[in-house]
Amino acid sequence: MKILDKYLLKTFLITFTTVFVILFFIFILQTVWLFIAELAGKDLDMSLIIKFLLFSMPRIIPLVLPLSILLASIMTFGNLAENYEFAAMKSSGISLQRAMRGLTVFILLLSIVAFFFANNVIPFAEYKFINFRKNIAQVKPAMAITEGQFSDVGLYNIKVNKKSGANGNILTGITIHKKSNIGDGSKTVIKAKDGELISSEESSILQLVLNDGNYYEDLVPKKYEDRNKLPFAKSAFKKYTINIDLSQLNKVDIDDQNIDNTNTMLTVNELKYTLDSLDKNFKTEIISFSENINLRTGIPQNNVYTDKQLKKAHKKLPSNILSLYTTEQKSEILKIASSNVTSTGYSIDATKVNLDNKQKNINNHLLAFYDKFVIAFACFMMFFIGAPLGAIIRKGGLGLPIIFAVLIFISYHFINTFGKKIAQENGISPFMGSWMSSFILSPLAILLTYRATNDIGLINMEVVLAPIQKIFKKLFPSKK
């Protein structure tokens, strides 16, 4: 490695490391903010909070790494141009491509590392992160309930005056509001002197055992005039047990599909296997539904009639088939036909919703598959946007480079998110949804590299100002 390559690599690495650490810290603070309601006031040990954050850190890398490369490239090459080091290189016969050669190899290696990180580390971290949150709920069930305020836990709003015990599982002064599933406006209130939260790592059910309390339930009469009397039922109990599904304790999340679906926890090979199974299941269900509809409508599948047979059968039938039946029979036939059409319509609508959900699941797995390759290409692309841009604007430091980097990265992230959302709804193919941002910004990388290589500015001001000058000359001709 020549002295120039060592110098450029050292300069870039120092800037890249500094930027990466700062951005990573900012995104970690964002993660803490997103999960603050889940962490604050839950009686969690510092070690549990650190593990919680450690398992959530890898998912930040796909955002931080491309942005760090972009900003570090602009700052590094901007400093070199601002300090006339590029002018010295060019006077020595060293072109921009030659100066970028060593860093290009480094970015290529970094892209390969980013792919393996996205393929192996991130799925493992996602698996540990989701299961760790569930384990916290099992080991420390009291984390779902905060003293002195109502906490939303599944179908219940629970308020306790005081928590005690080793894990905060002994509760005192309990008030519970149960949500109505029916939607008729009825309310259920449970008050108890004390209680205990009981859970097990082997069970997915959390038990809340209440002692010495009362159960109040509103009654909604069928007659409207009786509702003004506000009737209710009251009962007392010595012991009352409520079973709560632990999955409700993990309700807070930046993206619910990360818990509902396992696509973010799979490697490339696992995604291939899963996609193959999902595709086969999807096609089998379509075939099964089509056969079922044919059987319900009475349409024969295997019988193929010739034109002569169809014409012969048509001649035997009257123009109005219902004329063969009495009025009562006509009414009965039409009722049956209407019922069959309605039933078939409901079946088609329900199956369509089910097939749409399965297609969305397939699309999410495909997006997760392509994302592992997109992050590697994004690192490479951001370098070829940032390095020429820095050489063109000739500004280093944290001023203008940050503005350019943020604008470019926000555009990249917006297009990426927009493409994925459309692909999830089956508006475009998952391949296009994942690669849309790369396809749109790649020409920018090529254009900037070309302009920086040929010493052309970012914007040719003469091309912009020439038409304006002509208009001014026509409007305000000079007097001789």
Side-chain angles (χ1 to χ4, degrees):
M1 184 181 291
K2 294 187 177 181
I3 297 175
L4 176 63
D5 295 325
K6 289 182 180 179
Y7 173 72
L8 291 175
L9 182 60
K10 179 182 176 181
T11 306
F12 179 82
L13 282 176
I14 293 172
T15 307
F16 172 76
T17 305
T18 305
V19 170
F20 183 85
V21 171
I22 294 172
L23 292 176
F24 195 79
F25 180 73
I26 293 172
F27 278 88
I28 284 294
L29 291 179
Q30 182 194 26
T31 301
V32 173
W33 178 257
L34 289 171
F35 290 102
I36 190 67
E38 195 167 334
L39 298 174
K42 304 300 184 181
D43 295 334
L44 295 178
D45 299 332
M46 183 57 67
S47 60
L48 291 178
I49 296 176
I50 292 173
K51 284 183 180 179
F52 187 92
L53 293 175
L54 284 175
F55 290 142
S56 65
M57 283 180 183
R59 65 166 64 181
I60 301 172
I61 299 298
L63 287 173
V64 175
L65 188 59
L67 179 57
S68 300
I69 292 174
L70 175 63
L71 186 54
S73 302
I74 296 175
M75 291 174 64
T76 301
F77 284 82
N79 279 325
L80 292 173
E82 188 178 14
N83 296 327
Y84 299 102
E85 291 178 270
F86 264 136
M89 292 180 194
K90 290 177 181 178
S91 63
S92 302
I94 300 173
S95 62
L96 178 65
Q97 288 90 340
R98 172 61 189 87
M100 293 172 58
R101 185 186 303 170
L103 287 177
T104 302
V105 175
F106 171 75
I107 295 297
L108 183 61
L109 294 175
L110 187 61
S111 301
I112 296 172
V113 172
F115 168 77
F116 283 104
F117 186 89
N119 188 47
N120 298 287
V121 179
I122 293 179
F124 176 77
E126 285 290 311
Y127 173 79
K128 298 292 289 184
F129 177 69
I130 293 171
N131 284 278
F132 182 71
R133 293 175 67 193
K134 183 179 178 181
N135 292 337
I136 289 178
Q138 291 174 322
V139 176
K140 282 184 168 287
M143 69 170 287
I145 301 171
T146 306
E147 287 184 0
Q149 67 183 49
F150 280 100
S151 301
D152 191 2
V153 184
L155 297 176
Y156 303 93
N157 280 319
I158 304 174
K159 178 184 177 182
V160 299
N161 294 334
K162 186 179 180 181
K163 295 193 299 183
S164 57
N167 294 320
N169 59 324
I170 305 299
L171 311 178
T172 306
I174 304 169
T175 303
I176 300 175
H177 291 175
K178 184 178 180 181
K179 302 173 187 175
S180 175
N181 286 328
I182 305 174
D184 55 4
S186 62
K187 298 180 178 65
T188 301
V189 179
I190 305 171
K191 295 181 71 70
K193 184 179 179 181
D194 54 54
E196 182 182 3
L197 286 167
I198 301 174
S199 66
S200 172
E201 295 185 20
E202 298 176 356
S203 174
S204 60
I205 299 298
L206 172 67
Q207 287 188 332
L208 174 56
V209 180
L210 305 175
N211 302 316
D212 299 326
N214 295 293
Y215 188 99
Y216 307 88
E217 183 176 6
D218 286 347
L219 300 178
V220 182
K222 293 183 179 179
K223 294 183 179 179
Y224 184 79
E225 56 270 17
D226 293 337
R227 296 183 182 181
N228 293 329
K229 299 177 182 179
L230 301 176
F232 68 93
K234 176 183 176 182
S235 61
F237 58 84
K238 287 292 182 182
K239 179 176 282 190
Y240 183 73
T241 303
I242 298 176
N243 293 322
I244 303 173
D245 188 358
L246 280 175
S247 62
Q248 297 296 326
L249 300 180
N250 284 328
K251 257 189 151 182
V252 180
D253 198 356
I254 54 175
D255 192 357
D256 288 340
Q257 72 180 14
N258 288 340
I259 289 181
D260 296 335
N261 301 322
T262 60
N263 49 64
T264 57
M265 298 187 291
L266 302 178
T267 63
V268 168
N269 292 330
E270 290 169 342
L271 282 168
K272 285 182 179 179
Y273 179 80
T274 305
L275 282 167
D276 185 58
S277 301
L278 291 174
D279 283 332
K280 287 181 180 178
N281 179 266
F282 186 75
K283 292 176 181 177
T284 301
E285 186 157 342
I286 292 176
I287 294 171
S288 176
F289 175 72
S290 63
E291 291 175 352
N292 184 38
I293 287 294
N294 285 332
L295 291 174
R296 291 178 64 175
T297 55
I299 298 174
Q301 293 177 276
N302 298 324
N303 296 330
V304 179
Y305 299 101
T306 62
D307 291 339
K308 291 182 179 181
Q309 290 174 326
L310 290 172
K311 289 178 181 179
K312 187 177 181 181
H314 182 69
K315 288 178 181 179
K316 291 181 180 180
L317 295 174
S319 57
N320 187 3
I321 299 177
L322 290 176
S323 63
L324 300 175
Y325 302 94
T326 64
T327 304
E328 293 180 356
Q329 290 174 330
K330 289 178 183 178
S331 176
E332 189 67 25
I333 289 170
L334 291 174
K335 285 181 180 178
I336 294 172
S338 176
S339 176
N340 287 338
V341 169
T342 303
S343 175
T344 302
Y346 285 143
S347 178
I348 291 173
D349 291 340
T351 305
K352 183 177 182 300
V353 172
N354 184 37
L355 291 176
D356 286 343
N357 290 333
K358 290 195 172 186
Q359 184 61 58
K360 287 179 182 178
N361 190 28
I362 292 173
N363 291 341
N364 285 329
H365 281 77
L366 285 169
L367 289 171
F369 177 81
Y370 293 128
D371 276 348
K372 301 183 188 302
F373 299 92
V374 169
I375 183 177
F377 182 78
C379 295
F380 200 71
M381 179 183 66
M382 289 300 176
F383 174 72
F384 277 92
I385 291 177
L389 185 60
I392 291 172
I393 63 176
R394 298 179 183 179
K395 288 288 183 181
L398 296 174
L400 194 60
I402 288 183
I403 296 175
F404 278 104
V406 169
L407 289 175
I408 293 170
F409 187 76
I410 287 176
S411 302
Y412 170 80
H413 188 62
F414 173 79
I415 296 169
N416 192 36
T417 304
F418 178 73
K420 286 182 179 179
K421 290 295 182 183
I422 297 178
Q424 285 175 352
E425 300 298 326
N426 215 29
I428 58 175
S429 67
F431 177 82
M432 282 300 301
S434 295
W435 288 93
M436 182 183 291
S437 55
S438 300
F439 289 154
I440 292 175
L441 291 182
S442 291
L444 176 63
I446 296 171
L447 176 64
L448 290 174
T449 303
Y450 171 79
R451 296 182 75 88
T453 303
N454 293 278
D455 290 328
I456 304 174
L458 187 62
I459 300 175
N460 193 344
M461 295 305 296
E462 291 183 2
V463 176
V464 177
L465 295 175
I468 299 175
Q469 289 175 352
K470 289 181 180 179
I471 294 172
F472 269 91
K473 285 180 180 179
K474 290 181 180 179
L475 294 175
F476 307 102
S478 58
K479 296 181 181 180
K480 294 183 179 179

